[in-house]
Amino acid sequence: MTAKPLLPERTPRAKGEPTALDGLLVVDFTRVVAGPACTQTLADFGAEVIKVENPDGGDDTRHYEHAEIGGESAAFLSLNRNKSGITLDFNNPAALEVARELIAKADVVVENFSGGVMKKFGLDYASVAPTNPRLIYCSISAYGRKGEFALRPGFDPITQAESGFMSLNGFPDGEPVRTGPPIVDMATGMSACNAILLALIARDRLGRGQQVEVALIDTAVAMTGFYGMAYLISGTNPGRFGNSPNGSPTVGVYQASDGPLYMACANDRLYRRLVVDVLNRPDLVTDPRFAHRKNRTANREELRAIIAGVFAGDSLENWMTKMKKANIPVGYLRTVEEGFNAPEVRDRHRLSRISHPTAGAVPNIETPLQMSLTPTVDPVAAPLLGQHTREVLRKTLGYDERRIAALAEAGAFGKAGNTA
């Protein structure tokens, strides 16, 4: 069995440091990846995020099988840090009233239900905006909230496939490959967070909120990037190039005598430095087949074979030393284990452990965003199902114990044990 990695305790933030989103109340009706990724960023920077889950199992990611600790899944823990968790049964009228009261107090609502669900329960933007005109209401979906496909369900790999994004990944002689991590979900979550922050800035100027919308299919199309733009200009359908964009022979994976490396010499200046200063093959500059980038691409198989033969003649560490000395963009081709234990990651203090009510402690991967004046809050692990229901109702809505008990008795929170 593989030993778990040793993780340090997280260093607390300095006392008295402000947060970027202090005082912002976010009601989070999201689940799975894109929505929770969005609201976790808001929570990391000081927003009070109340995650509303269904009592019957909660967020789907609670049951994902990657790994679990203390009864909680790796997926759920990775996407729901710094949130308060409550349960509400939307099929219960009393629970819907609680949801409406939370929305009436909120600055931001984020939802990623299937099309029509929020409207069915009277929680859509048109229904709630009149009582809270400053509300920012963010809807995340696969195909948007309007049009022919609004009611169609969809997920990250489906939109990777349908947008053309997946067709760009993999090798020319193989089938298209989806990315390992759900990159469209994650990028959609980032885009949703950006949209919310833009709407908050607009609210300060205009005095009112608005509905914002982000769709996975739109994100996937945008992420085709310059390949998509090249198609629109030329009409030529782009293909797959494996690890070498556009088939460039000096970008990609090469094997030293004892291990792989990845280099990226994408212009003439870097190419000359590579073949002269590192590979000791100045003839590869003067040879007209390889003198310029277009020539090298046209003769890529010949050049790749030559370079591969040179790399195979020496050890990985010797090549890495030579290439770094020549300032050639190069890196080790690492596994997740190797990457997480590499100095580039460890020196950035990206990994730590934080306390958890059932596991004792759980791993934590820091947000990649860093701010000097308003750093992230000290991380709190993702909530247990319904962990903060009573606390939220007391603190945010001012309910007394008798009202909370009546709601529990009426089944608003689902089965017994879903409130803390």
Side-chain angles (χ1 to χ4, degrees):
M1 183 177 178
T2 303
K4 294 181 180 179
L6 297 175
L7 299 172
E9 295 279 357
R10 188 181 187 275
T11 303
R13 74 201 309 267
K15 289 184 178 181
E17 286 183 311
T19 62
L21 301 177
D22 182 49
L24 192 76
L25 178 60
V26 179
V27 181
D28 177 4
F29 294 104
T30 70
R31 70 258 191 261
V32 194
V33 180
C38 164
T39 54
Q40 179 168 267
T41 299
L42 299 174
D44 284 343
F45 287 92
E48 179 185 356
V49 176
I50 299 171
K51 182 178 178 72
V52 181
E53 296 180 76
N54 75 79
D56 186 18
D59 191 322
D60 294 347
T61 58
R62 287 186 180 274
H63 314 289
Y64 280 15
E65 67 282 354
H66 305 96
E68 68 89 28
I69 183 171
E72 299 295 302
S73 76
F76 186 79
L77 290 170
S78 73
L79 292 162
N80 293 283
R81 177 179 57 232
N82 292 326
K83 303 176 186 179
S84 298
I86 73 171
T87 56
L88 291 176
D89 182 356
F90 280 5
N91 293 307
N92 185 298
L96 283 179
E97 184 57 33
V98 173
R100 292 189 188 99
E101 290 192 34
L102 286 171
I103 292 172
K105 285 182 171 287
D107 295 287
V108 177
V109 164
V110 190
E111 62 88 14
N112 66 345
F113 284 106
S114 298
V117 171
M118 293 299 271
K119 185 175 183 179
K120 171 186 173 183
F121 292 113
L123 302 176
D124 58 307
Y125 180 69
S127 298
V128 301
T131 59
N132 187 355
R134 289 178 56 81
L135 179 68
I136 309 301
Y137 191 107
C138 179
S139 293
I140 301 171
S141 63
Y143 299 98
R145 289 292 187 235
K146 298 177 182 178
E148 182 181 352
F149 305 103
L151 299 181
R152 183 185 173 195
F155 295 93
D156 174 293
I158 303 301
T159 55
Q160 285 195 38
E162 292 194 330
S163 64
F165 178 87
M166 192 183 294
S167 75
L168 302 171
N169 302 323
F171 290 89
D173 56 352
E175 64 182 13
V177 178
R178 61 161 286 180
T179 62
I183 189 65
V184 173
D185 267 337
M186 299 301 292
T188 301
M190 295 176 192
S191 297
C193 187
N194 284 340
I196 289 166
L197 297 176
L198 290 169
L200 287 168
I201 293 172
R203 186 178 74 172
D204 286 344
R205 293 191 299 108
L206 303 176
R208 65 179 185 272
Q210 61 182 296
Q211 185 173 20
V212 299
E213 184 185 325
V214 185
L216 270 66
I217 191 70
D218 297 347
T219 302
V221 168
M223 288 177 64
T224 63
F226 46 75
Y227 292 104
M229 183 62 74
Y231 160 71
L232 293 175
I233 292 172
S234 69
T236 301
N237 200 28
R240 292 182 293 285
F241 305 102
N243 290 313
S244 301
N246 292 329
S248 171
T250 49
V251 177
V253 176
Y254 283 92
Q255 295 286 336
S257 62
D258 57 350
L261 58 84
Y262 190 99
M263 71 171 181
C265 296
N267 59 45
D268 288 342
R269 174 177 50 83
L270 289 172
Y271 172 73
R272 292 190 194 98
R273 199 184 300 164
L274 169 71
V275 297
V276 175
D277 298 342
V278 176
L279 303 183
N280 196 27
R281 289 291 303 271
D283 59 299
L284 298 179
V285 174
T286 57
D287 190 320
R289 295 175 299 167
F290 312 131
H292 302 289
R293 178 171 174 162
K294 287 186 177 180
N295 304 68
R296 292 193 293 275
T297 300
N299 298 284
R300 55 183 172 270
E301 297 306 326
E302 297 168 75
L303 181 56
R304 178 170 284 276
I306 294 170
I307 294 175
V310 178
F311 274 126
D314 204 346
S315 69
L316 177 62
E317 289 305 322
N318 283 345
W319 286 124
M320 293 297 285
T321 299
K322 291 177 182 178
M323 295 177 82
K324 288 179 179 179
K325 183 178 180 181
N327 204 24
I328 298 294
V330 65
Y332 296 96
L333 188 62
R334 292 169 172 151
T335 63
V336 171
E337 180 179 18
E338 291 166 341
F340 275 28
N341 287 285
E344 293 91 339
V345 174
R346 291 289 181 163
D347 289 355
R348 298 285 295 168
H349 307 293
R350 297 292 84 202
L351 310 172
S352 63
R353 58 190 174 98
I354 56 179
S355 62
H356 186 271
T358 59
V362 296
N364 181 55
I365 302 174
E366 292 286 327
T367 174
L369 308 179
Q370 297 192 59
M371 301 177 72
S372 61
L373 180 62
T374 55
T376 59
V377 300
D378 289 329
V380 176
L384 304 179
L385 184 60
Q387 179 180 345
H388 304 102
T389 302
R390 291 181 181 273
E391 177 186 334
V392 166
L393 298 186
R394 284 194 301 263
K395 175 184 170 185
T396 306
L397 297 182
Y399 289 3
D400 59 24
E401 287 301 321
R402 183 164 57 180
R403 184 169 183 184
I404 294 172
L407 287 166
E409 180 68 23
F413 314 131
K415 63 185 179 181
N418 279 345
T419 60

